[in-house]
């Protein structure tokens, strides 16, 4: 459930991770930007579309280089692919890359010695940021797939955003749904994430409540439920 | 997750909050009433519609004045906007104003020294009241947006209420859905609230159950799951 | 959240409740049967339909008489309506009556001194039984409302059952939805119950898991998450 | 909630279960494969379809034989049907058979003395594997039922998979839904499983969070929520 901690990794590996954190996060935002421009720019805006494609390719190369360096430094050899499976998945599906935001945020928080927010508030804000990034990326990817389909119900990027929010919250109206195989694969991934998100929100609320109750229970004498 | 407590705020600020609580709650009910009349009154009921608009404007001015006074008294200056971000959001989206009900209810409960309901019953009743107010406000706002749309599936206020209940419970039939951009923005907000609501209900049930179990466990000797 | 316990009620009140439990449960099953026959019998099966109506009326009178006797015996006077609000609701909406099943089951379990099932299994089986009864009752009520509607999508009782299961699980396909005001009111109630049911299932799973984990944690030495 | 443990069962019964575990798991994969070929093979691939049917029948006979042997060895007689109700259900609905995977996985884990994954990661991976198997089996069964229906919206096996993922996550778009009675019965079962799955994910997240919080709470001095 958690990313394998780097505690047992060689020192050089950890130092590499620390140093590349912020640049790689910048690269993932550039990747998302490039993909967004590529998908959303009008057909005839040729130079912009080409620039965006170049940006997507270049940032992906940066990720691949980082992945290669980390295999080297980790000293794990081919086992790296399995141990750091999350990184492997992210290399293949770079749209998940911006989720790195959360690690950066955690790292920034840690440097401040003491997090400003309670655990529950942090889970809620992580879930919110994840939902926004995932929803936006999925909307881009689905719009990319569906644009050309003749009987598509997702016809504008606005429709794609609307579909993504209805999917992530598991509401699922069904007025705008992917009809292509590619779009449906993206959608299935988003649904699974929506389920996890729901679990995170529900779970954090549940444990917060339980903790509040325990405290209240300790303060006053018991008196029956 | 919780509204910043007023414990560290100056005494005058806290006194202002206490005194204005009930009048401001009345003002927010008037605001909701005015908006409801404005949206639901027939087109030709001119004087009523104008009166409703005036009511909406007047109560909004009251909120703005209260906000200004509180900035002054808090002594926080422009940081007030960030610290009391919930108040800022409510100033911009006054339809969320009636949620103040919950603070009033909590305040009334506190004056009675000891709340009549257990924590779980309170969470459930807060969630219920929030759901009713949010659903009603969202139905009004969506009906307001959708009324004029040519291909709307939400054609009466009854449809809007039906849509709101299907959305808040994350059922999402899709027989009545907003088609305008404005309506979809409102809907996305309502979906997020529905997710939170689900979390509240699930969470409170979960912790209640856990507490019941712990008590039962203490009463009788352990005997395996 | 729980039915007000009868601990503080007069002895005669408690004895009445104990004695009438099984007969009243029988009466509520007869009520459900009568309603089901009334709704599902073909239009021309006149004698059966009349008999069913008489059965519904007679069992309702039994509930009303029980309610009156309990007001008397409780010694609460008009406060009874508020204290035993659940009974009041059930008197007005007798289709909720079969939920009494759960109380009977609990009572039968208590007589056996020690329940056969763990708390979590009991919550799951209560939730299951409640879901079946609620779904069946709601399907009957919605079919009753929708049957005559010209543009209904719920046209057979099978459609109504299908709609009820999609609603209770918050899936909400939207291929069969109530279109009449009456049907939508019933549906809103069922959605709220679905939310609660989801909360019960999720909550009980959550606390069961937490308990299993705590036990496992105690057995073996701690070793990090 | 848990499968009745074999601790009190005779030694021969337990030995039988241990020895047949892996062969029976192989048989259930063959069953699923046979059913998949039977459903998905084109109409004119006669020899393959007949082979698949024979495979389904043969593996089912293996399950029936195992069931009979276990009744014998358990020494429970006709009570076996009730005590091992899960096995009875699986005998009648052999598509649930591959869920045995989870038992095999647990058994393999146990032999390693100490599970490699934490409880939460195990719950998540069980839930994931269950979701995949259930979704695939339900998609097969529904496609089997719907294929011949004239007004079906599930027309290809891809549609059936898409429907299954929207159902299991309780999103429920409604663009592809079963219209036959048989398909709807399968769908209702899948919905109930989706609800349980949601409960498992939410619950495990909730308890994981609560545990993390408790640990953090112990490390640092309390400072208010």
């Amino acid at each position: 459930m958690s990313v394998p901690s780097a505690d047992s990794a060689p020192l050089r590996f950890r130092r590499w991770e620390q140093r590349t954190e912020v640049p790689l996060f910048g690269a993932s935002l550039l990747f998302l930007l490039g993909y967004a421009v590529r998908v959303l720019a009008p057909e005839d805006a040729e130079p912009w579309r080409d620039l965006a494609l170049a940006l997507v390719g270049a940032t992906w190369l940066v990720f691949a280089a980082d992945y290669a360096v980390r295999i080297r430094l980790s000293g794990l050899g081919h086992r790296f692919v399995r141990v750091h499976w999350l990184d492997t998945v992210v290399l293949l599906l770079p749209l998940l890359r911006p989720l790195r935001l959360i690690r950066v945020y955690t790292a920034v928080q840690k440097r401040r010695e003491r997090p400003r927010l309670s655990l529950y508030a942090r889970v809620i804000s992580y879930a919110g940021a994840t939902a926004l990034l995932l929803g936006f990326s999925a909307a881009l990817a689905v719009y990319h797939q569906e644009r050309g389909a003749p009987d598509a119900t997702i016809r504008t990027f606005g429709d794609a955003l609307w579909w993504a929010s209805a999917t992530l919250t598991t509401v699922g109206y069904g007025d705008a749904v992917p009809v292509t195989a590619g779009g449906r694969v993206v959608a299935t991934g988003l649904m699974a994430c929506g389920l996890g998100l729901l679990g995170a929100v529900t779970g954090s609320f549940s444990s917060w409540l339980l903790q509040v109750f325990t405290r209240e229970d300790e303060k006053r004498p018991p008196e029956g439920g």
Side-chain angles (χ1 to χ4, degrees), chain A residues 31 73 79-80 115 129 131 133 149 169 180 203 210:
Chain A
F31 181 90
L73 293 179
R79 276 188 304 140
F80 184 88
L133 277 171
T169 53
T180 63
L210 196 63

Side-chain angles (χ1 to χ4, degrees), chain A residues 8-205:
Chain A
S8 56
L11 189 67
R12 286 176 59 203
F13 181 77
R14 269 184 285 162
R15 240 191 246 147
W16 173 265
E17 283 207 320
Q18 274 175 24
R19 269 191 218 144
T20 55
E21 206 155 67
V22 175
L24 277 179
F25 180 58
S28 37
L29 285 192
L30 280 181
F31 181 90
L32 189 60
L33 182 76
Y35 189 66
V37 168
R38 179 80 191 163
V39 171
L40 299 180
E43 290 286 327
D44 55 347
E46 241 358 286
W48 286 105
R49 286 169 55 83
D50 290 350
L51 191 73
L53 191 61
L55 193 63
V56 164
T59 47
W60 191 83
L61 282 180
V62 170
F63 301 148
D66 166 63
Y67 190 76
V69 170
R70 286 167 73 204
I71 289 187
R72 262 285 172 98
L73 293 179
S74 71
L76 290 168
H78 62 88
R79 276 188 304 140
F80 184 88
V81 177
R82 222 191 45 223
V83 175
H84 294 256
W85 59 270
L86 205 62
D87 290 306
T88 316
V89 167
V90 163
L91 186 71
L92 298 176
L93 298 168
L95 268 186
L96 294 178
R97 194 82 207 182
L99 294 184
R100 209 180 179 83
L101 164 74
I102 286 158
R103 279 182 72 181
V104 173
Y105 182 73
T106 314
V108 168
Q109 287 284 35
K110 266 187 191 150
R111 274 179 216 149
R112 288 198 194 166
E113 280 297 312
R114 156 181 284 202
R116 275 194 335 172
L117 293 167
S118 79
L119 181 71
Y120 303 115
R122 260 182 293 152
V123 169
I124 296 283
S125 48
Y126 288 178
T130 310
L132 284 180
L133 277 171
L134 266 181
F136 185 71
S137 305
L140 274 178
V142 160
Y143 180 55
H144 193 184
Q145 301 288 332
E146 296 288 309
R147 211 169 13 175
D151 52 349
T153 50
I154 297 175
R155 272 173 300 234
T156 65
F157 185 59
D159 286 346
L161 283 176
W162 168 242
W163 161 81
S165 66
T167 300
L168 262 181
T169 53
T170 78
V171 170
Y173 290 120
D175 57 337
V177 280
V179 294
T180 63
R184 285 181 172 180
V185 168
V186 174
T188 303
L190 192 66
M191 280 178 219
C193 294
L195 207 69
L197 204 73
L198 194 66
V201 170
T202 305
S204 62
F205 203 97

Side-chain angles (χ1 to χ4, degrees), chain A residues 215-223:
Chain A
R215 281 194 191 158
E216 228 175 57
D217 226 27
E218 281 162 6
K219 274 189 218 151
R220 76 176 69 160
E223 37 158 340

